[in-house]
Amino acid sequence: MKNPEAQQDVSVSQGIRLMFYMMKPNETSFRTLEEVPDYVKKATPFFISLMLLELAVSWIRKGKPPGRVDDSLTSMSAGILSRLPRLFSRSIELTSYVYIWENYRLIGLPWDSPWTWYLTFLAVDFGYYWFHRMAHEVNIMWAGHQTHHSSEDYNLSTALRQSVFQVYTSWIFYSPLALFIPPSVYAVHLQFNLLYQFWIHTEVIGNLGPLELILNTPSHHRVHHGRNRYCIDKNYAGTLIIWDRIFGTFEAESEKVVYGLTHPINTFEPFKVQFHYLIYIWTTFWATPGFFNKFSVIFKGPGWSPGKPRLGLSEEIPEALSQVTLLLRVCFILLTLTSIGLLLDQRPKAALVETLRCLVFLTLWRFGHLKPFIPSLSLAFEIFFSICTAFWGVRSIKQLASGPWK
């Protein structure tokens, strides 16, 4: 066993390997829980270094930072809030684990065996997969996890956007390991699994080839953070993507990912980011009739409501706007503003431009790039703009035949 005092400093080489789950068993095996270093705390300089590197790469490649300053500050604020409870007591993930180990363990695997180390690596990652999946499929757990998904940017600071109370449910999925795996080994891998997930929150790293088959990568995790329909409830992996492939939740990155919640919260206020969904559950609970329906509000999926499947209906998930749709909408807004200006000035080409604008509207409408706020008014909108197109088209023809419109 190594002297724990020797573990107080982390070299640059160790720090880099620490962030990518590349530490060796003989470097990170400890007899007691008290000897296990706080690797997350020691990784802080490497968090900062990698974020600065990401910033530099993004500036070189795209000429802009990887995200907005206000969004990044909100993410870092959430990260600080999530760590505050640990200043006063040991994490419930460890206290519950130690209790089970001391009172109910079936066997005790050797703490200094490489086989125990690698088995724990797999077991913790397997437990994380199921915790993460349930955090998306059980509403009360989603109330905690949604914090991490509330960012509409995707960069390394997003990894720091963690929930204050997520740990109060995650421990359940690791507790079976306490029947045979020593707490000191578990505590090491619990931290390594978390640290590995930091570097995959970036857009500056593309496809990693054969590694995509086994590991959770930036490409796979970008899908997990997307609110496009093809991204919803996919790629729950921590370190290994094999669990998603085995259990049918894998989805490869295809179309451009749009990040954030399906119903954006539009705020940078740290307490609202953390707790707004709990308030939503509370109000929904009381507004939903029937005891079993109230129970379902808490324990079924976020998209559930009476009469729907446990996880809700996929067709009710708002479709994320593609880059093409956003570009077309911006162009339509510019064309609308131009037309208004020409009409107010009574310019000669005003009728022609307004005819073009109405035709563009109908085209975008027909191909789904524009939608009304009230779906029931779809037909009325289409009829109205068809009449406008005809009206301004006639004005344009008359103008061309008899001179400028006055």
Side-chain angles (χ1 to χ4, degrees):
M1 181 182 67
K2 293 191 173 185
N3 185 337
E5 293 300 321
Q7 296 292 323
Q8 294 304 309
D9 295 320
V10 174
S11 67
V12 174
S13 172
Q14 286 179 319
I16 294 173
R17 289 187 292 119
L18 181 67
M19 302 301 294
F20 296 94
Y21 219 135
M22 296 175 67
M23 298 289 276
K24 300 175 182 177
N26 65 338
E27 295 177 285
T28 56
S29 296
F30 307 93
R31 182 185 297 274
T32 66
L33 185 61
E34 287 67 30
E35 296 174 48
V36 178
D38 187 345
Y39 286 113
V40 175
K41 181 178 179 181
K42 293 178 184 297
T44 300
F46 299 95
F47 291 155
I48 298 171
S49 298
L50 287 174
M51 285 192 288
L52 292 174
L53 178 61
E54 180 190 42
L55 176 63
V57 172
S58 182
W59 270 113
I60 293 171
R61 286 184 177 179
K62 302 178 180 179
K64 63 178 183 179
R68 297 163 294 169
V69 174
D70 45 17
D71 189 88
S72 296
L73 289 175
T74 303
S75 294
M76 288 186 277
S77 297
I80 293 170
L81 281 174
S82 71
R83 298 289 293 178
L84 290 180
R86 303 189 186 198
L87 296 177
F88 304 98
S89 62
R90 180 182 286 172
S91 166
I92 189 174
E93 291 173 312
L94 293 178
T95 53
S96 59
Y97 193 95
V98 170
Y99 178 81
I100 296 171
W101 168 262
E102 291 180 346
N103 294 279
Y104 300 104
R105 72 175 178 267
L106 302 177
I107 59 172
L109 296 179
W111 64 269
D112 55 351
S113 168
W115 290 106
T116 302
W117 197 94
Y118 289 114
L119 175 63
T120 309
F121 158 67
L122 289 173
V124 167
D125 201 49
F126 182 73
Y128 178 81
Y129 169 85
W130 283 106
F131 152 68
H132 195 186
R133 182 168 175 173
M134 291 302 103
H136 282 255
E137 295 185 2
V138 177
N139 211 22
I140 192 65
M141 294 176 65
W142 173 246
H145 189 60
Q146 60 81 33
T147 299
H148 182 60
H149 283 264
S150 61
S151 174
E152 295 182 22
D153 292 342
Y154 190 76
N155 51 56
L156 292 178
S157 71
T158 306
L160 305 179
R161 188 178 288 220
Q162 298 294 327
S163 167
V164 171
F165 58 93
Q166 181 171 282
V167 294
Y168 298 105
T169 55
S170 60
W171 67 272
I172 299 170
F173 297 85
Y174 301 121
S175 57
L177 308 185
L179 299 175
F180 56 96
I181 293 175
S184 61
V185 187
Y186 164 73
V188 167
H189 287 279
L190 188 65
Q191 295 184 77
F192 286 178
N193 192 275
L194 175 66
L195 290 173
Y196 176 90
Q197 294 178 57
F198 177 77
W199 75 276
I200 61 177
H201 289 81
T202 186
E203 291 189 297
V204 301
I205 298 176
N207 189 284
L208 295 179
L211 293 178
E212 304 280 340
L213 298 174
I214 301 172
L215 297 177
N216 192 16
T217 63
S219 177
H220 295 330
H221 205 59
R222 284 193 288 270
V223 171
H224 179 71
H225 272 259
R227 56 188 174 100
N228 315 59
R229 286 188 181 177
Y230 88 95
C231 299
I232 301 298
D233 295 338
K234 299 296 182 181
N235 299 1
Y236 296 113
T239 302
L240 300 174
I241 200 65
I242 59 173
W243 310 122
D244 287 287
R245 295 184 184 278
I246 291 171
F247 296 110
T249 53
F250 174 74
E251 188 70 41
E253 186 177 24
S254 54
E255 66 184 70
K256 174 69 175 176
V257 177
V258 181
Y259 304 108
L261 300 170
T262 56
H263 297 88
I265 56 176
N266 301 317
T267 183
F268 299 113
E269 200 280 306
F271 287 98
K272 187 173 182 181
V273 168
Q274 291 283 348
F275 303 115
H276 80 97
Y277 199 80
L278 275 178
I279 298 172
Y280 168 77
I281 290 179
W282 176 260
T283 55
T284 305
F285 176 87
W286 289 110
T288 303
F291 172 79
F292 289 104
N293 284 337
K294 291 182 184 296
F295 184 83
S296 296
V297 167
I298 297 175
F299 294 105
K300 289 188 178 181
W304 178 87
S305 62
K308 296 180 183 177
R310 182 176 70 88
L311 299 181
L313 298 171
S314 60
E315 56 267 29
E316 291 185 349
I317 298 172
E319 189 67 71
L321 297 180
S322 68
Q323 295 298 304
V324 172
T325 297
L326 288 173
L327 178 61
L328 290 173
R329 288 189 177 187
V330 168
C331 291
F332 179 73
I333 290 171
L334 294 175
L335 181 60
T336 298
L337 294 175
T338 301
S339 179
I340 290 172
L342 293 175
L343 287 168
L344 292 174
D345 285 346
Q346 297 188 5
R347 299 284 292 276
K349 302 295 183 181
L352 185 61
V353 172
E354 181 61 12
T355 303
L356 175 63
R357 188 186 77 88
C358 292
L359 287 171
V360 169
F361 175 88
L362 290 172
T363 302
L364 296 180
W365 181 279
R366 180 60 60 184
F367 287 97
H369 295 293
L370 288 175
K371 296 180 181 179
F373 291 111
I374 305 174
S376 60
L377 295 179
S378 294
L379 181 60
F381 267 77
E382 192 164 357
I383 293 173
F384 174 76
F385 272 91
S386 297
I387 295 172
C388 289
T389 303
F391 173 78
W392 289 109
V394 170
R395 296 296 295 266
S396 299
I397 293 171
K398 288 183 176 180
Q399 175 187 324
L400 292 174
S402 60
W405 170 57
K406 296 296 184 180

